[in-house]
Amino acid sequence: MANGQGQGYGGAGGYGAAPRQNPYGQAPYGPNPYAQPVPPPQPYPQQHPHPQQQPYPPQPYPPRQPQPVPPQQAHPAARQPYAAAQFGAPPHPGAGRPGGFPGPAPRRNRLAVLLQFLLQWIYAPLWVLALVLLFVVLILADYNGGGPSSDGWLKVNRGFIPPRRLRAELTGRPEDWERYATPVLARRIAAAEAAYAAGDGEVQADLGRVVTAGLALRLYRGLGADGVVRLAERYGWHGVASGTDAGHVRLARHFPAPAGLDVPAPQDPPAAPGTPWGPQPVRFAPLLPFVFLLQIVYVPVYGLLTCWVNRPEPDYWDRWGARWTVGPRAFRAEFTGSPAAWDRHIRRILKRDTDRIRAATRTPDGGPVSRIHLKRATYRGAGAHQALRLAAEQGWSLDPAYTPDPANSLRLHRLDRP
């Protein structure tokens, strides 16, 4: 039985037949631009529709054909930063180390080290004897000071290998060099810090001071400058660029300016005798002539002895040597004990130091900041407070970059130019 379409049940166009995909795409109706596309059964649809037959909305994530990209040849210099960032720059000496300090130096020949160690016990005493004879000849020949500009040939210890360093030289291992260089570095740092406590160091803009120390290459050859800097950081020091001097490693430490100092002002009442800022006990006057004569022999002997003594204070002479000597200018003031004589002596020393600063800088005012150092022998009978009062009359005041030590010395400064 027909169903009005010319087909029966189960026919090609009847009930139960497969639905037509696009009835509007057949003649005589023509294409329908508003028709929604029916998903095709295959998973890869055709991707070339007519512009007027573009489906709305487009299919999500349509597959794209990879487009060939022509290779671009970049300049080697333009690719260098990227290559360095990806793979790192080529290694060079000092690269990758903190501060760019070089690593271990090339090892010396073992045979040469052994020969030097064995022969030094013969040539070192002969070297010292030759130097003694040379000085005697120079003295007898009325030596006028000419000669070589460097005194390196006087340093016998530079060509001497101590037994403690022999192991490090032969093995070349960094741990052996570190074992040898650590106590040497500790002594150098202790000496530099003792020099700072005695007033050494370069004053900075923040009134702090920087002290420096150094080691020669022969003392850390197998450890390297970077290893020495690493050891120095344990003591609070840091490395400093040595510039063109590759035979040494430079170390420095910045000490801040002292704070919270309790010092008297020049206008304060005079300090009591016996106190650090007051007059110090003077020596027995009748003994001063004998002290003055004996020091002619005592001072040279003392100087020779102190050259071989490992003392912790670099200002050892200011602290101890001056206690047993008397200068010709301070003789009258100390012999008479007159306050007026002490005042004249202090003013004379202040004028001498001021003139010396002006002569050194060749300017009338001496420079932006001038600094002088008064020794204990200058104001022994008058006191440090009286010396500070007389110095204030000429514009001098206590230097804030130093910790006051009135019992031994006074450090003064003056702002000569704004």
Side-chain angles (χ1 to χ4, degrees):
M1 180 177 176
N3 57 0
Q5 296 181 0
Q7 299 291 341
Y9 293 100
Y15 295 105
R20 298 175 181 177
Q21 294 183 359
N22 189 1
Y24 298 97
Q26 300 177 1
Y29 302 101
N32 184 8
Y34 303 101
Q36 298 294 332
V38 178
Q42 64 272 15
Y44 302 99
Q46 297 293 333
Q47 298 298 325
H48 303 281
H50 192 272
Q52 295 183 357
Q53 296 180 356
Q54 179 69 24
Y56 298 96
Q59 298 181 1
Y61 306 107
R64 302 177 58 184
Q65 297 293 333
Q67 300 294 330
V69 179
Q72 298 180 357
Q73 298 294 335
H75 194 271
R79 296 197 306 266
Q80 185 175 0
Y82 175 79
Q86 291 287 335
F87 308 102
H92 59 85
R97 299 182 176 93
F101 297 101
R107 292 178 53 186
R108 298 180 57 191
N109 185 271
R110 294 183 179 181
L111 181 59
V113 172
L114 287 175
L115 289 177
Q116 180 179 354
F117 179 78
L118 295 176
L119 296 178
Q120 68 187 1
W121 307 101
I122 301 175
Y123 71 76
L126 296 178
W127 191 347
V128 175
L129 180 60
L131 291 178
V132 174
L133 295 177
L134 178 62
F135 284 130
V136 173
V137 172
L138 293 178
I139 293 175
L140 296 178
D142 193 13
Y143 180 63
N144 58 1
S149 59
S150 174
D151 61 346
W153 55 280
L154 298 174
K155 307 295 184 180
V156 183
N157 61 324
R158 293 184 179 179
F160 194 84
I161 299 179
R164 294 176 299 172
R165 200 174 79 205
L166 179 62
R167 177 185 177 88
E169 290 277 8
L170 294 178
T171 62
R173 294 182 299 184
E175 55 269 19
D176 293 336
W177 277 101
E178 182 175 351
R179 191 178 300 110
Y180 167 74
T182 298
V184 177
L185 179 63
R187 290 194 298 268
R188 297 288 178 90
I189 289 179
E193 292 180 352
Y196 162 77
D200 196 8
E202 184 179 355
V203 180
Q204 304 298 308
D206 59 350
L207 298 181
R209 283 181 290 156
V210 173
V211 292
T212 58
L215 288 180
L217 179 62
R218 67 179 185 276
L219 302 177
Y220 64 90
R221 178 182 303 274
L223 185 60
D226 56 345
V228 176
V229 172
R230 174 175 51 83
L231 295 177
E233 290 175 351
R234 303 176 184 177
Y235 300 90
W237 288 62
H238 62 275
V240 180
S242 300
T244 57
D245 188 6
H248 291 77
V249 58
R250 305 296 180 183
L251 305 173
R253 182 177 180 182
H254 179 271
F255 291 88
L261 302 178
D262 186 13
V263 297
Q267 62 272 13
D268 290 346
T275 60
W277 290 93
Q280 302 296 322
V282 295
R283 291 168 288 188
F284 188 52
L287 291 179
L288 289 179
F290 298 98
V291 173
F292 183 80
L293 294 176
L294 291 177
Q295 70 184 5
I296 299 177
V297 180
Y298 163 76
V299 172
V301 174
Y302 177 86
L304 291 176
L305 292 177
T306 53
C307 290
W308 303 97
V309 176
N310 186 13
R311 55 193 184 277
E313 299 91 356
D315 58 344
Y316 197 79
W317 173 257
D318 298 338
R319 292 176 178 267
W320 302 103
R323 297 177 185 267
W324 307 104
T325 58
V326 55
R329 297 183 178 181
F331 180 84
R332 180 178 181 180
E334 192 168 358
F335 185 79
T336 60
S338 170
W342 278 108
D343 290 351
R344 287 194 300 269
H345 177 58
I346 294 174
R347 287 191 175 95
R348 182 167 56 246
I349 297 300
L350 288 172
K351 182 178 182 303
R352 182 200 65 184
D353 294 345
T354 303
D355 294 342
R356 183 167 53 192
I357 291 176
R358 291 175 179 175
T361 56
R362 298 181 180 180
T363 55
D365 46 11
V369 179
S370 300
R371 290 181 166 89
I372 60 176
H373 183 198
L374 297 183
K375 306 298 180 58
R376 179 177 181 268
T378 304
Y379 57 85
R380 184 200 303 268
H385 190 202
Q386 180 64 15
L388 182 61
R389 188 194 306 273
L390 297 177
E393 297 176 358
Q394 303 181 19
W396 298 96
S397 61
L398 285 176
D399 197 336
Y402 299 87
T403 302
D405 188 16
N408 296 287
S409 63
L410 279 181
R411 294 185 177 272
L412 307 175
H413 86 304
R414 182 174 68 179
L415 300 176
D416 292 327
R417 275 189 273 172

